Amino acid sequence: MLAHPMMLPVRFAYRFDTRWGMNFHTHREYELYYFHQGRCTYIIGSHIHVLSPGDLILMNGMTLHSANPGPHHYLRTNMHFDPSYLREVLNDSIFTSAFETIGQLGNHIIHLEGESRTEVEQHLHKMNGLYQQNDAVSFRRFLLALLDLLYYIQPFCPTTGQSIRKMTEKELHVQRMLTYLEEHYSEELHMELLESALFLNKTYMAKIFKEVTGMTIFIYLKNRRLNQAKILFMMDNKVSVSDICYTVGYKHLSHFSRLFKQKFGCTPEQFQRIAHHHKLSTNSEK
DNA sequence: ATCGCGTGTGAATCATCGGC
DNA sequence: GCCGATGATTCACACGCGAT
């Protein structure tokens, strides 16, 4: 069994309240996020979702995401789980069909009302009870409850994509900015360019971007670029650090290395070696 | 609520270095 | 030639304030 708490195959946090959201991040586990109450904008990749109570997000954690409740209090339940672990402990065919909706990489945001909402909330409550018990039987019941939940929400899932609530003018502006950044993050980018492309004042853009996403434009850009670099390193272990650096939009290797080390705790070269070894060892297991 | 401007501060960039 | 570190310069942005 894995010992480190961050490495646990399933982590469940029921109705917890935080003033500030998470940083823009990715992780290997799948994530289930249910929004109970409050206000929050949720960024997945380059899309904004203005959450309202009853919204449930199901996603592959590899997409860059962050929750921004701003200065408001809010209540959410979230769960991380490792799909390969569930496949191991649960019957393979049952598990596989529960995950048909998520598919390999899909993300879903659904809105629950009335009966179905009550049902899901009660279900999460029950799961929390089981999760809190520290015995093997309760934990197995918890896993089955998770499976049951996935089956329950499956019919709601085809409605992928946009959030239910209408976006304000401000949020639409930020969505336009995110779309532009997603298309151009690998190119040279400065505020004048954004200004002329989107016809918005640069100080105004900086302000509303921070309000809606919880991060500044260039922090977003940095996260997007570094995450892309990480993906490219994992995909191809032959490619040079400098190639990746220029591909994701940095002009100076030194700057790229410094930021990469800041974010991931190792230099690009070290990361590439680690990713390469990981690939070799997982291939030899098969 | 949507914009615009001035200013101090800190982060990004640039230039240059040394190690391999 | 490739990569990473460091100091100097440039630029984004937080903040305060005012306009529409």
Side-chain angles (χ1 to χ4, degrees):
Chain A
M1 261 297 167
L2 301 158
H4 194 276
M6 290 306 284
M7 296 295 285
L8 278 177
V10 181
R11 284 179 287 135
F12 184 78
Y14 179 65
R15 283 175 68 87
F16 68 109
D17 183 11
T18 320
R19 233 175 116 73
W20 306 107
M22 291 291 294
N23 290 330
F24 216 33
H25 66 290
T26 61
H27 42 72
R28 265 177 48 82
E29 301 93 3
Y30 281 27
E31 179 165 349
L32 193 145
Y33 181 106
Y34 181 77
F35 191 60
H36 294 270
Q37 54 176 264
R39 271 190 63 83
C40 181
T41 45
Y42 204 102
I43 317 294
I44 304 179
S46 59
H47 285 282
I48 299 175
H49 301 280
V50 184
L51 297 185
S52 48
D55 282 347
L56 188 146
I57 298 171
L58 193 59
M59 70 171 157
N60 178 303
M62 284 311 285
T63 317
L64 268 171
H65 57 279
S66 78
N68 175 41
H72 315 284
H73 285 275
Y74 76 128
L75 273 181
R76 88 271 201 194
T77 291
N78 84 353
M79 182 176 1
H80 293 82
F81 52 95
D82 183 346
S84 58
Y85 169 76
L86 291 188
R87 187 166 281 122
E88 239 172 70
V89 294
L90 298 166
N91 178 300
D92 195 56
S93 68
I94 292 176
F95 174 83
T96 308
S97 58
F99 273 85
E100 270 166 12
T101 47
I102 311 185
Q104 286 301 306
L105 290 158
N107 297 319
H108 296 271
I109 175 159
I110 63 182
H111 183 67
L112 301 164
E113 280 294 352
E115 213 178 293
S116 54
R117 183 168 159 189
T118 317
E119 168 111 20
V120 164
E121 288 182 6
Q122 282 172 355
H123 198 87
L124 289 172
H125 183 71
K126 177 184 153 193
M127 285 175 72
N128 185 48
L130 292 169
Y131 189 76
Q132 296 301 324
Q133 308 287 320
N134 274 324
D135 61 281
V137 172
S138 298
F139 189 66
R140 288 199 185 110
R141 288 184 63 203
F142 171 83
L143 293 178
L144 288 172
L146 167 60
L147 202 62
D148 189 26
L149 178 65
L150 291 173
Y151 272 112
Y152 184 77
I153 61 181
Q154 201 165 25
F156 298 95
C157 280
T159 60
T160 126
Q162 301 311 304
S163 64
I164 316 305
R165 259 212 8 232
K166 266 202 169 159
M167 283 200 236
T168 63
E169 196 72 14
K170 186 166 70 181
E171 285 152 0
L172 284 169
H173 280 151
V174 177
Q175 180 59 71
R176 279 177 59 219
M177 291 163 70
L178 281 168
T179 305
Y180 183 87
L181 291 174
E182 181 60 25
E183 283 164 8
H184 298 95
Y185 72 87
S186 60
E187 303 159 17
E188 188 180 335
L189 210 68
H190 44 87
M191 292 305 278
E192 268 79 17
L193 223 65
L194 266 180
E195 205 165 33
S196 54
L198 301 173
F199 307 105
L200 287 168
N201 177 271
K202 56 183 174 184
T203 51
Y204 178 60
M205 281 193 286
K207 197 190 290 183
I208 61 171
F209 194 90
K210 179 69 189 279
E211 270 174 39
V212 174
T213 67
M215 55 197 145
T216 67
I217 294 168
F218 281 78
I219 296 284
Y220 170 86
L221 195 62
K222 184 175 83 175
N223 281 315
R224 186 66 190 88
R225 283 172 167 172
L226 292 177
N227 191 59
Q228 189 61 23
K230 196 175 164 184
I231 291 169
L232 293 174
F233 277 131
M234 291 192 290
M235 277 167 44
D236 183 357
N237 55 281
K238 294 272 194 304
V239 71
S240 75
V241 174
S242 48
D243 275 355
I244 301 277
C245 167
Y246 304 130
T247 305
V248 301
Y250 287 107
K251 283 188 281 188
H252 294 270
L253 202 50
S254 57
H255 186 223
F256 172 64
S257 294
R258 174 156 50 188
L259 293 182
F260 194 95
K261 193 174 174 183
Q262 254 173 35
K263 187 171 170 68
F264 301 120
C266 60
T267 66
E269 200 196 14
Q270 290 168 340
F271 180 84
Q272 196 176 28
R273 268 209 307 275
I274 294 163
H276 181 51
H277 286 136
H278 181 75
K279 218 173 183 175
L280 286 181
S281 63
T282 49
N283 281 344
S284 64
E285 275 168 23
K286 283 173 187 170

